[in-house]
Amino acid sequence: MSLSEHTKANKKIDHQVMINHVIALFRDNMPFNQLLGLEFITQGSGLETQISLHLNWQPTLTGNPMQKILHGGVTATMLDTIGGLVSIVETIKQTALEHLADLQVRLPTMGTIDMRVDYLRPGRGERFIATAAVIRKGSKLVVCRMELHNEKGDHIAFGTGTYMLG
């Protein structure tokens, strides 16, 4: 049941319903994420929900054909996507149950304000994993630290992103 169907059915929104809704938005309603083949992996539930992005190597994602490495734009996209998603999910987790409906109204205006990417080594690997953690959260902004590793644990890139909460 979607968030709007949930609301129309006069059911109270809880943290898990809202988190699932946001993940579905990023996964199912953002064509670029689908084009890249991003996989949204969750662990835990409710206030314990953790999320990461996974991407299998594909030749269409090549940035340097001579070295067969991941395109820097794909790296930046993965970092920005996980940073934005974690910003929203952590905001949901920190919002009191009675204020989730107010947060729901602000969801469409949330977005990236600024992002910096540091490329540490060439993006070689068969599978890439992006994770993020909130560094600071205010009432209007969230700052995240994002990391991209390959399946061997090699640290490929990190980023810092600032996200508007609406």
Side-chain angles (χ1 to χ4, degrees), residues 99-155:
H99 296 294
L100 284 177
D102 297 331
L103 184 59
Q104 175 189 353
V105 173
R106 294 178 20 217
L107 280 177
T109 61
M110 295 180 176
T112 307
I113 293 176
D114 187 48
M115 187 178 77
R116 172 191 166 89
V117 177
D118 289 302
Y119 299 92
L120 304 175
R121 63 176 42 94
R124 292 190 180 92
E126 295 301 314
R127 188 157 174 87
F128 301 94
I129 301 102
T131 57
V134 171
I135 297 172
R136 183 179 189 287
K137 183 191 166 311
S139 62
K140 299 277 185 197
L141 299 177
V142 176
V143 179
C144 276
R145 160 79 178 219
M146 302 86 70
E147 296 189 0
L148 183 70
H149 294 85
N150 65 15
E151 77 282 359
K152 296 176 184 174
D154 295 331
H155 196 173

Side-chain angles (χ1 to χ4, degrees), residues 37-56:
L38 297 181
E39 297 174 50
F40 295 77
I41 308 297
T42 58
Q43 293 180 317
S45 63
L47 299 179
E48 302 300 317
T49 301
Q50 299 295 315
I51 187 155
S52 60
L53 285 182
H54 295 228
L55 178 68
N56 290 325

Side-chain angles (χ1 to χ4, degrees), residues 12-104:
K12 275 197 146 187
I13 300 169
D14 66 20
H15 293 92
Q16 188 63 57
V17 166
M18 197 150 172
I19 289 169
N20 289 346
H21 171 72
V22 169
I23 293 169
L25 283 174
F26 275 70
R27 184 189 61 229
D28 303 334
N29 293 356
M30 293 184 179
F32 192 59
N33 291 345
Q34 294 172 340
L35 179 69
L36 292 177
L38 297 181
E39 297 174 50
F40 295 77
I41 308 297
T42 58
Q43 293 180 317
S45 63
L47 299 179
E48 302 300 317
T49 301
Q50 299 295 315
I51 187 155
S52 60
L53 285 182
H54 295 228
L55 178 68
N56 290 325
W57 168 254
Q58 306 164 50
T60 56
L61 303 177
T62 300
N64 181 331
M66 305 302 274
Q67 295 189 35
K68 292 187 170 65
I69 59 174
L70 190 65
H71 192 286
V74 176
T75 297
T77 295
M78 288 185 73
L79 293 175
D80 186 31
T81 301
I82 194 64
L85 184 53
V86 166
S87 293
I88 295 170
V89 168
E90 289 301 316
T91 299
I92 292 168
K93 288 162 53 173
Q94 293 176 20
T95 300
L97 198 56
E98 62 269 16
H99 296 294
L100 284 177
D102 297 331
L103 184 59
Q104 175 189 353

